[in-house]
Amino acid sequence: MCRWLAYTGTPVLLDSVLYRPAHSLIDQSLHARMGVETTNGDGFGIGWYSPGMDTPAVVRDTGPAWNNRNLREISAHVRSHLFFAHIRASTGSAVQQTNCHPFRHGRWLWMHNGAIADFHRLRRDLCLVIDPSLFADIEGSTDSEVMFFLALTFGLDQDPLTAVARMAGHVEHLGRRHGVDSPLQMTVAVTDGERLWAFRYSSERRSRSLYYSAEVDTLRAIHPDLKFLTGLSPETRLVVSEPLSGLPGAWTEFPESSCGLVGAGVDFVQDFVPVPADGELPYHRTG
């Protein structure tokens, strides 16, 4: 499995989130506390949005994050209002650059922790549902990327919550048709550069850990001595596989089988229920 974080809010240097916290994502690449594996060294990736750019930048590599000089260099000089970071522990697919997260398509970024059970058996049938106009853009061999392109096929551009629910419903329907009792395990972050959605779900209702940060005003009231909170907008949020610190009141766990919109505007967390497959090929993508 893997560990990841998503940041949205006041533009900050990436290293202020990736390296400086006590239990930063870089620390988690060696010392994860809540993941299946303690070490997550099968590659890493970062993706970020810059003003005036139509698509996000993505940098990925197959080596471990903890000793990558390029990651440290980029993180100390890139400032962004919305970025993803992911450290990978492979569940069986090859350790190669095209299998590292986050995945990008147009303005969208996607990253995932978890797995489709018996993916090698389900892969062909899953891929046959992907919109043919999208299929050629799949670069790697992971279940995570197939999930992304299924969500795009099911209308991610129009309605992200429903698209991901349809993706999950299709994976479960197909998996159980092939005799897989618990086909899906996922925590997912997806963004179009403006809004950030997060999902926590598994077929067996024992999902991997996922947390979001408290409102900045709440943190200032609880911890008035924390200087790094100065200048952060009220909309600033983090979504993480594991809390980056042990600050009381700083983190809230996503409930089991839930999803949410996090960041600017009105935040919400609600139940996540996969939409049953209907047997159609719903090519809803428009551009």
Side-chain angles (χ1 to χ4, degrees):
M1 300 298 174
C2 312
R3 305 280 83 184
W4 58 255
L5 69 79
Y7 174 92
T8 179
T10 300
V12 295
L13 289 172
L14 271 59
D15 75 342
S16 66
V17 177
L18 297 184
Y19 284 91
R20 297 182 191 178
H23 189 46
S24 69
L25 195 67
I26 304 305
D27 180 64
Q28 291 175 35
S29 66
L30 278 168
H31 307 295
R33 300 168 185 170
M34 298 181 179
V36 176
E37 296 87 4
T38 301
T39 304
N40 297 271
D42 293 330
F44 69 87
I46 53 175
W48 69 91
Y49 293 83
S50 300
M53 303 297 291
D54 293 333
T55 59
V58 173
V59 173
R60 302 181 292 180
D61 200 353
T62 56
W66 63 77
N67 66 353
N68 191 282
R69 295 180 64 184
N70 289 330
L71 177 60
R72 184 175 286 275
E73 184 74 12
I74 291 169
S75 299
H77 291 83
V78 169
R79 190 181 301 273
S80 177
H81 72 284
L82 201 164
F83 58 88
F84 281 9
H86 187 281
I87 51 176
R88 185 170 183 244
S90 173
T91 56
S93 55
V95 178
Q96 61 192 46
Q97 192 176 87
T98 54
N99 284 345
C100 295
H101 309 223
F103 301 102
R104 173 181 60 191
H105 190 273
R107 69 182 188 273
W108 292 94
L109 286 177
W110 171 284
M111 59 185 175
H112 166 235
N113 173 38
I116 296 176
D118 286 344
F119 177 61
H120 64 288
R121 294 172 51 204
L122 308 182
R123 182 181 177 186
R124 178 181 179 276
D125 287 350
L126 289 171
C127 287
L128 286 174
V129 178
I130 293 172
D131 187 333
S133 70
L134 293 168
F135 188 80
D137 295 329
I138 298 176
E139 296 183 323
S141 59
T142 64
D143 50 358
S144 303
E145 191 175 15
V146 168
M147 291 166 62
F148 180 28
F149 277 78
L150 283 169
L152 287 165
T153 296
F154 290 138
L156 189 65
D157 279 333
Q158 291 79 44
D159 185 348
L161 294 177
T162 299
V164 176
R166 296 188 74 184
M167 177 276 293
H170 182 71
V171 170
E172 289 193 321
H173 172 78
L174 183 63
R176 287 167 180 155
R177 201 174 77 195
H178 282 263
V180 181
D181 292 333
S182 299
L184 185 59
Q185 174 72 243
M186 70 175 205
T187 62
V188 165
V190 61
T191 182
D192 60 0
E194 297 180 4
R195 296 164 295 175
L196 168 62
W197 294 268
F199 302 82
R200 184 185 185 214
Y201 177 78
S202 64
S203 303
E204 57 187 345
R205 306 301 191 270
R206 290 188 293 175
S207 302
R208 304 295 180 237
S209 57
L210 192 65
Y211 294 80
Y212 60 95
S213 61
E215 295 183 358
V216 170
D217 290 344
T218 299
L219 289 174
R220 287 194 184 110
I222 299 173
H223 304 285
D225 55 327
L226 295 181
K227 295 181 180 179
F228 72 84
L229 296 174
T230 302
L232 292 183
S233 70
E235 292 81 17
T236 297
R237 293 287 190 283
L238 274 161
V239 182
V240 298
S241 296
E242 296 186 16
L244 306 184
S245 70
L247 287 174
W251 303 98
T252 300
E253 186 174 17
F254 271 89
E256 177 63 53
S257 302
S258 68
C259 61
L261 177 66
V262 181
V266 179
D267 296 353
F268 66 82
V269 175
Q270 66 183 39
D271 292 342
F272 178 79
V273 181
V275 175
D278 57 12
E280 298 177 1
L281 298 180
Y283 298 146
H284 292 322
R285 179 175 172 270
T286 59

